[in-house]
């Protein structure tokens, strides 16, 4: 299945995508992880992205569309993939449609993990207090910026997928296992519709 996970920063998209990936043959395509790897490796993309990411703003569409286009080409994506953190705005959603159409692929579903903003702030603060290596963009100011960007640029994409009958949502306020089982139910529903 080709899926998108939507949700604000700290909603648990990465955790849930990891769970799905470990159970199935669908790699997680996380633009955030790929950009952080580019920053750590000191590549040209990493150098361009670093300051933008530290500010909580969006890296250019050209860069992220390019890395996703390359990644989707890889043979391990043939059975399906989970997009985590992409698309994040209308231009990226259009680029994704074009990429999929060119390959004769279709999106099976878009799952929104819903969490209220106040809970996200608590979670990020907890993530900071618990981790040895704190992400440069995990701080109260940047989180506020990332949340604003999510509401302004990314959340408006949801009606687009809803209009195609592809949007489902799960309650991301529950614990990790509960959210995972809600997602499993969504997948059952989606695959039932295929047959
Ligand atoms: P979050 O926890 O905010 O969802 P991510 O790990 O997905 O974080 O992304 C971290 C940062 O990487 C973003 O704030 C942004 O600067 C950059 N980034 C990730 N994905 C994209 C994208 N699709 N378009 C533009 N910038 C992106």
């Amino acid at each position: 299945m080709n899926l998108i996970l939507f949700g604000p920063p700290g909603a648990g998209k990465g955790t849930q995508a990891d769970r799905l990936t470990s159970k199935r043959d669908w790699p997680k395509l996380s633009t955030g992880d790929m950009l952080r790897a580019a920053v750590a490796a000191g590549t040209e993309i990493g150098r361009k992205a670093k300051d933008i990411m530290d500010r909580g703003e969006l890296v250019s569409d050209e860069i992220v569309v390019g890395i996703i286009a390359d990644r989707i080409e890889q043979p391990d994506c043939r059975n399906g993939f989970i997009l985590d953190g992409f698309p994040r705005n209308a231009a990226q959603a259009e680029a994704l449609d074009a990429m999929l159409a060119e390959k004769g692929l279709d999106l099976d579903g878009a799952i929104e993990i819903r969490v209220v903003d106040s809970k996200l702030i608590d979670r990020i603060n907890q993530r900071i207090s618990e981790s040895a290596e704190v992400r440069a963009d995990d701080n109260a100011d940047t989180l506020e910026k990332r949340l604003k960007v999510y509401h302004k640029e990314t959340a408006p994409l949801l009606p687009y997928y809803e209009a195609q009958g592809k949007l489902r949502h799960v309650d991301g306020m529950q614990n990790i296992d509960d959210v995972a089982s809600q997602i499993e139910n969504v997948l059952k529903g989606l695959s039932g519709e295929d047959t």
Side-chain angles (χ1 to χ4, degrees):
M1 266 193 189
N2 303 327
L3 296 172
I4 307 177
L5 290 186
F6 281 111
K13 298 183 296 290
T15 307
Q16 297 299 336
D18 285 339
R19 289 239 175 163
L20 286 171
T21 292
S22 66
K23 283 178 103 178
R24 296 182 172 80
D25 226 2
W26 311 331
K28 159 174 109 162
L29 313 189
S30 159
T31 41
D33 287 353
M34 290 188 256
L35 289 168
R36 277 187 289 279
V39 171
T43 64
E44 195 192 337
I45 286 180
R47 281 197 302 275
K48 282 187 188 156
K50 184 177 185 312
D51 292 343
I52 303 171
M53 292 173 75
D54 288 353
R55 288 198 300 272
E57 292 167 10
L58 292 187
V59 172
S60 80
D61 295 334
E62 192 194 342
I63 289 180
V64 292
V65 169
I67 55 181
I68 287 292
D70 287 346
R71 188 63 188 85
I72 285 183
E73 288 291 330
Q74 303 299 311
D76 64 335
C77 289
R78 238 176 273 152
N79 293 326
F81 49 79
I82 304 158
L83 290 167
D84 161 14
F86 181 94
R88 249 180 164 87
N89 62 22
Q92 294 178 16
E94 281 161 26
L96 175 64
D97 281 349
M99 249 182 258
L100 294 176
E102 196 183 305
K103 294 182 202 314
L105 295 174
D106 206 2
L107 196 67
D108 297 287
I111 305 174
E112 180 200 6
I113 303 180
R114 289 187 176 165
V115 181
V116 298
D117 285 6
S118 58
K119 176 97 173 179
L120 300 168
I121 295 165
D122 292 348
R123 282 188 186 173
I124 300 275
N125 283 331
Q126 194 167 349
R127 186 152 94 187
I128 296 168
S129 68
E130 283 171 359
S131 49
E133 236 177 274
V134 175
R135 263 171 58 174
D137 61 349
D138 267 353
N139 60 67
D141 287 349
T142 312
L143 176 64
E144 206 173 305
K145 176 78 193 178
R146 281 153 64 204
L147 277 173
K148 265 195 195 138
V149 172
Y150 180 78
H151 290 301
K152 183 159 178 273
E153 307 261 345
T154 312
L157 300 179
L158 299 174
Y160 175 68
Y161 294 101
E162 170 118 67
Q164 297 171 34
K166 294 193 172 146
L167 186 69
R168 302 288 183 278
H169 70 262
V170 296
D171 176 6
M173 308 282 278
Q174 308 299 317
N175 65 41
I176 292 175
D177 286 341
D178 285 345
V179 177
S181 64
Q182 291 178 62
I183 292 178
E184 288 298 331
N185 283 335
V186 165
L187 295 184
K188 264 188 221 144
L190 288 171
S191 58
E193 287 161 22
D194 276 354
T195 53

